[in-house]
Amino acid sequence: MKKILKTLFIAILTLSVVSCDESYLDVNTDPNRPLTVSPDLILPVAQRYSVYSKDIGRRTNTLGNLLMQNWSQADGYSWYQSEFEYVLNTTFYSTVWDYQYLNALKQYHVLDLEIPNYEYYSAISKIMKAYHFQILVDTYGDIPYFEALQRGENTTPVFDNGLLVYEDLIVKLDEAISLISTGASNLEVLAPGIDDTMFSGDMTKWKQLANTIKLRILVRQSDMAGRDAYLSTEFNKIKAEGSGFIAEDVLSNPGYANQANQQSPFWASYGQNTDNEYINNYYATCATPFVINTLTTLGDARIDFIYEEPATGHLGVDQGLSNYPLPNGTLGEANVSNIGDGLLKSAEQSSVVFSLAEAELLQAEAAFKNPSYVDGDAKSHFDKGVAASFDYLGAPDPTAYTSSGTNLADYTASTNKLEAIITQKWIAHNGIDAIQSWFDYNRTGFPSNIPVSLSSPTPDRPVRLFWPASEISGNGANVPLPQPDVFTTKIFWAN
Amino acid sequence: MSGRFGLNNLSRQGKQWRDAQPYSTDNHLPEGTAGRPNPVTSFVEDSESQSHQYTVDFIAEGNFNLSEKITLKAILGTSSFTSQFRQSAYRANNLSIAGFYDLSNTTGQLVGGLAGSAFVNQSERKTYGVFGDFAFGYDNFLTLSLTGRNDWTSTLDSNNNRYFYPSAGLSFVFSELIDFEPLDYGKFTVSNATVYNDLGAYQINETYGRQVGFPYSSTGLNGFVVPGTAVSPEVRKEKIATTEFGLNLEFFKRRVTLDAAYYMTKTTDLITTATLAPSTGANSLLTNIGSIKGTGLELSLGLGIIESDGFNWDLNTNFTMNNQIVEEIQPGVTELNLTTGTVASIYAVVDEDFPQVKATSYVRDPQGRVVINPANGNPIVGGLENLGKTTPDYIVGLTNVFSYKGLKLTATLDYRTGHVFYSQLADRMEFTGRSQASVSSNRQDFIFPNSVINTGTVENPVYVANTNIQVTGGRQNFWTNTYNDIKENYIIDGTALKIRELSLSYQLADKAMDKIGVSKLSIGLVARNILTWLPEENRFSDPEFDNSIGVGNAIGIGGYTQAPPTRSFGLNLNIEF
């Protein structure tokens, strides 16, 4: 009897354990962190990443400023040696690749969903993805695009041809614009509001930004042979769409404040800390003689806003000096022109995503190359672009400047119109989005006579960057090896 | 038959605080000099944590005599395990009133004191299983044991959370059959077992985290980051299959003992957070990869060298050797980065020892000479090369115990060799100019030793010895840039001989203790980590410093942000009632 009871007991026990309800083990949902999040909590972070990919030190803006002789290094600092020596390798400014793919593009990509009511967020995602992908193509040439951003589903995306990527970016921007139109007639569309730190949900402005990014993509191809028919078709589409281009600077501001991690990124990187003390980056960074001379020769009032004027007058330092002159401190931070308060405004300053100056000067170049591309003539766009730059920096009287009769400042008086446009773009991008002026230089060779760093081992600066080590270590089979010569192999849109 | 219930409860409370430390501006540095130390702010942090662990077992045991010489001991049972944990930490920075350490004294908002500025962290996991253990004995010297266990876990999806753990072992006490006077005991064992390593709670969830900087107080805008770690939908437990052969021998009434074990392991489906290429849009992928095969040998020899009434000397020496080789990772993948570095990192490389360190290297000609760039005389920075194993080939340990009456002296040392590590400390010392290499040429330009230039083409190189081109920037830039970029310079031999412990203790005699009323009293001095001998090339630090970020089995990056290993001296007092 006892034995039977015993066996029965074991049987019941084992059965009860084995047939345990599945819900007994259903305790694996993380209570500390959410599994899903609504799009209005994702978008502002994506837009933060967009401006952080540009304005934080050693990212695109810094790279452009150093390559294009906007910035140099004061005595007493060993800050920019790799940049002056053009020590290009697979880790040099690899953040341009890593940060855009792993932060900006990753974040925008989850908003690009084809589900009902997502039209606006999907459109914003496509527009900003095009913004970032273009910068990647302009820096690296061929990039993973069609197979990219699939996370664990495709851990080895193939590299796509840069020109094909460019063409698909236009397609995606067109899709975005038509999605916005579709969304406008959908009563239940999820509408961005305060979470859209760029336009607060004004979708017309998004259409204008889409057109302006298209403009940048198209103008970049305007020196390629045999692209005229394609460019004409695309420019006509923009005209037909009707929203036009941006009419003011595209700024992003989520509510910057003078607190840790909440300061405007350019201010936090090159201005002051939360105790209102200037930081080391500010003291280390200064102008070059080339940019001071150029601005002075042009009689450009912006010089006092782009650069801070020391008591002894504007002074620049050559890049790559191996021996700073004696006595000590001759070229120290107190005597050289550091970054000016037209660029470093406050801890709360809005970040620039796309400047009106660039939009107008792009239209100027388009009109110059072919008057039927855009509305308005080249000169009026040129004047508006320069005025927009003066306006952003707080410099006075742009009209005096553009009618001064000086070559490269006054469009009518300039002998080489393209040089005038590109040189003004270079000044307008100074400290704001200087990588664009590097792309322009690779394409056009302007501004002319721009010197090379004194410690450069090569006759001219690089024209692209190496595909980074992070991509080679994770996706090595697809990275086209050997890597192209970064000093001579230009991106496809430059000839 | 028995049931068992176990409960483990741990609760902690804590408070941390720090006073503000402003630095005087009058500190002898010239005005306008940047780089003064930043002032240190005050804070107070309140934290608590609770953890509960419950275990419930039911076991039925039976002893049976199957025949005259064959016995069977059978155990059947079920067991369940639940673990719950909760912790919270609140922190107030920049206190208004100095010296008043309370959370209400904050000038800003309260911030979370846990990882990622979180306030609360909870976790729970459960497992349950059924098992059986059957041990067949033959005439007391031969035993065959067979076990099996089926486990269910909460940390994996329900279609993938059942695992079976079998094992089989045979043990043969052959000394029973042999009549050899010195041999008191001899046993030979062979066994095979399969076990699994589980994933952690919540590990298969892809979750969002709040972005640092959000919410912005002026707008109330909040923001979350798309998960950086993707989780493979087929992720499963890691499997380890071990076969072991063992030999235990005792001679001369335990004055000589020898234990030897030789084992072979095969680990498959290693749970790995593999670093992905940035273009995938994910930082890493939690998945199972490949297989690693290992062999190991453990020998332990104990000798009672002197045994007398007063003075005793016991010696024990042991030797361990463990070698792992990566058999495969994934189809088409020959290597995998296990830490997040890109210029020096720990890799799993197919057909190489695991773990392997890879770092940027010199470009060398077929004779091993360094190729330099004729334009500036600097060595060319090459790609990542395999530079060695980061776990030792073998470890030898030695323990000596001398005792005389109540006095006992113990000395332990160990020696390990056959491995390398990447010294971040050496790397950083180069950058700041504190390294010996950077002054080796008096901070002047010099001709890089044993260097060549390529006078031919990339396809058909012709290497000519370099006798006249000097490096550029020998005063500083060469060392902070080119030389510092070649991380091969910082892969250092990890050999070390350490005296781990030296202790002297005295135990009071029984007679003395009876008078006091205690059963045992001993007092002793202990010294740990007394001496370390390192090879000459390692003038930086103890190779056992570890700074690896990533998978648990990726070791070999020597850090510079932790406190150095310490030598300690202590006093022990042991009283038993």
Side-chain angles (χ1 to χ4, degrees), chain B residues 64-247:
Chain B
F64 308 96
N65 286 329
L66 298 179
S67 82
E68 210 190 280
K69 289 203 174 176
I70 305 179
T71 56
L72 166 64
K73 180 168 169 186
I75 300 175
L76 277 175
T78 78
S79 139
S80 101
F81 173 77
T82 306
S83 167
Q84 293 166 334
F85 176 73
R86 184 185 197 279
Q87 67 178 154
S88 66
Y90 294 80
R91 184 174 167 124
N93 284 321
N94 281 322
L95 306 175
S96 298
I97 306 164
F100 179 55
Y101 298 109
D102 182 85
L103 289 176
S104 61
N105 194 12
T106 176
T107 46
Q109 291 170 317
L110 287 180
V111 294
L114 301 177
S117 293
F119 288 94
V120 173
N121 183 28
Q122 284 171 246
S123 90
E124 178 173 6
R125 64 182 280 246
K126 297 180 182 176
T127 63
Y128 67 83
V130 295
F131 56 90
D133 185 329
F134 303 95
F136 298 91
Y138 179 78
D139 206 8
N140 285 331
F141 63 82
L142 195 63
T143 318
L144 170 71
S145 90
L146 298 166
T147 72
R149 180 186 172 118
N150 204 358
D151 247 12
W152 286 259
T153 175
S154 68
T155 61
L156 284 168
D157 271 338
S158 58
N159 60 353
N160 192 16
N161 66 349
R162 250 156 300 177
Y163 289 83
F164 182 63
Y165 301 51
S167 89
L170 184 70
S171 117
F172 179 35
V173 182
F174 56 85
S175 53
E176 298 273 323
L177 301 177
I178 301 174
D179 199 15
F180 179 51
E181 182 54 42
L183 180 66
D184 299 318
Y185 181 78
K187 183 168 77 171
F188 174 75
T189 56
V190 58
S191 67
N192 179 292
T194 303
V195 296
Y196 292 90
N197 281 338
D198 202 356
L199 283 91
Y202 313 139
Q203 214 177 342
I204 59 169
N205 292 320
E206 290 186 27
T207 54
Y208 286 74
R210 193 165 65 181
Q211 168 62 42
V212 164
F214 285 80
Y216 285 90
S217 31
S218 50
T219 49
L221 200 54
N222 209 350
F224 288 81
V225 182
V226 170
T229 303
V231 177
S232 163
E234 286 127 26
V235 72
R236 51 197 175 274
K237 289 197 192 186
E238 192 173 282
K239 177 173 169 182
I240 305 168
T242 315
T243 306
E244 183 172 320
F245 300 93
L247 184 67

Side-chain angles (χ1 to χ4, degrees), chain A residues 121-137:
Chain A
Y121 281 102
S122 182
I124 293 175
S125 159
K126 288 185 202 290
I127 294 171
M128 292 310 293
K129 276 164 64 177
Y131 173 93
H132 285 288
F133 274 122
Q134 185 192 13
I135 296 175
L136 286 166
V137 172

Side-chain angles (χ1 to χ4, degrees), chain B residues 27-42:
Chain B
N27 58 2
H28 315 300
L29 288 174
E31 199 189 290
T33 309
R36 282 198 298 275
N38 290 324
V40 172
T41 55
S42 54

Side-chain angles (χ1 to χ4, degrees), chain A residues 155-156 472-476, chain B residues 269-277 283-292 326 328-341 344-358 384 386 551 553-554:
Chain A
T155 58
T156 51
I472 296 173
S473 91
N475 190 14
Chain B
D269 283 340
L270 290 101
I271 298 170
T272 314
T273 313
T275 309
L276 293 179
N283 300 69
S284 49
L285 177 67
L286 178 67
T287 183
N288 306 87
I289 53 160
S291 76
I292 295 183
V326 180
E328 65 151 324
I329 297 175
Q330 263 175 339
V333 178
T334 52
E335 60 182 39
L336 189 70
N337 189 350
L338 296 175
T339 54
T340 52
S345 194
I346 305 300
Y347 274 77
V349 183
V350 173
D351 293 335
E352 294 283 345
D353 292 322
F354 176 81
Q356 184 81 210
V357 64
K358 285 178 76 106
L384 299 174
N386 296 339
V551 188
N553 36 8

Side-chain angles (χ1 to χ4, degrees), chain A residues 457, chain B residues 372-379 469-472 482:
Chain B
I372 60 159
N373 179 350
N376 54 20
N378 293 342
I469 310 175
Q470 296 192 319
V471 303
T472 311
T482 311

